[in-house]
Amino acid sequence: MSVSPDLELDVVLAAKERLADGVVRLTLRAPDGAALPSWEPGAHVDLVLGPDLVRQYSLCGDPADRSVLQVAVLREPDGRGGSAHVHERLTDGETLRVRGPRNHFALGPASHYLFVAGGIGITPIVPMIAAAEAAGARWRLLYGGRTRASMAFAAELRDRYGDRVELVPQDERGLLDLDAALAAEPGAAVYCCGPEPLLAAMEERCAPGTLHVERFTAKPDTEAKTAFEVELAQSGRTVVVPADRSVLEVVEESGVQVLSSCREGTCGTCETGVLSGVPDHRDAVLTPAEREVGDVMMICVSRCAGPRLVLDL
C-alpha cells in the first residue's frame, strides 16, 4: 500500500434528507459545480465538522456521478458528538471540508459475491452491489437491522433487486443466520460491514482470504505494550514511545505534525511509511498481505515488534 497525501476540498451541503429512523443522507457538491474526486465502491471520506471534530463516512452514491458525494449518517446517542452535529446542526447550504476519498475496503473482481450488512454498515455495500450487478456477477445480500424502519436503503434495494436482497429486521426475525448464508453461497467472495459483534462472528466462520470487512470502531486491544524507539527520518529526530503512549501522540509532542482523524486504527488517515524495523500492527485497515510487507503502519494504534522503528516522517 502506497502512502499518498489526502485531497482536501470545500463542499457545500446541497441536501440533508431522512433515509430511515435515525439516518440522514448528506448530498455534497463543489461550490462552483466542478467535478468532485473520483472514487470506487468501498471508499470513505473524512468530514471536518469542526476544529477537533472529524468523522469518517462511507460513500453510498454512484461513483459515475462526479457532481456529488453522498454519505449516510446514523444518529448515535452514545457517540462522541459527530453524528449529533450532523443531525442537529448541519443545514442546507453550509460549507464543509472533505478529506479523501480513501479506500481500504475496495471491491475486488469475482464472479460470485456474498454481501453481509448490519445497520449503517449497508452504506459501503450499496455501491458494491451496483458494481457487481454491472459486471454481471452473481451476488446475494443479507442485511440486518434493529427494525425495518431503521434500515436505510432497504426498500430501494428490495424493489430494485428482488429476492437477492434478504432483509432481516431483528424485531421480526431475530439475528442474521450467518451459517445458512455462507452455506448457501459456497466459494463467494464475502464483503461485510457492520457492528463489531457481526464482524467478529463472520471472522470466526470464514476461511482466510475469503472475507473482506470494514470496521467503524476499533477492535479491543488487549495485547501487552512495551516502550520502543522511533527515528523520524525526515525530521532528524529520535523519540521514545512509552508503553502508555501511542506513536502518534509522541510524534506530535515532538513537534512533527501528522494528519490524523479517528485515532483508533479504523480510518487510515495517519498511514505512515516504515523505512526500517518491524511494525506491530494493531489497526483495522491493513490486509494480512499488507501487514506482512510491513512498509506502512497506522501510528495511532500500531507499535513496534522490536526495539526500534525508522519512520518516513
Side-chain angles (χ1 to χ4, degrees), residues 116-119 121 142-144 176-178 192-205 211 213 215:
V116 180
L142 182 65
Y143 175 20
L176 298 176
D177 190 341
L178 303 179
C192 179
C193 187
E196 181 58 34
L198 172 62
L199 302 183
M202 290 294 289
E203 287 174 334
E204 289 176 0
R205 289 164 168 79
L211 175 65
V213 303
R215 282 182 159 84

Side-chain angles (χ1 to χ4, degrees), residues 243-296:
D244 62 347
R245 304 286 302 283
S246 71
V247 177
L248 177 61
E249 290 171 331
V250 173
V251 167
E252 288 179 332
E253 195 173 80
S254 77
V256 176
Q257 294 302 306
V258 180
L259 192 63
S260 66
S261 182
C262 74
R263 294 180 176 257
E264 56 182 20
T266 60
C267 74
T269 307
C270 69
E271 182 178 312
T272 300
V274 178
L275 304 179
S276 180
V278 180
D280 175 9
H281 296 292
R282 304 191 183 199
D283 64 276
V285 174
L286 298 175
T287 66
E290 289 165 342
R291 292 181 175 212
E292 185 68 26
V293 173
D295 61 349
V296 297

Side-chain angles (χ1 to χ4, degrees), residues 64 74 94 105 115 146 163 175 179 183 187 195 211 215 224 295:
L74 171 68
E94 190 165 344
F105 190 43
F115 300 109
R146 291 179 292 103
D163 59 9
L175 298 176
D179 293 320
L211 175 65
R215 282 182 159 84
D295 61 349

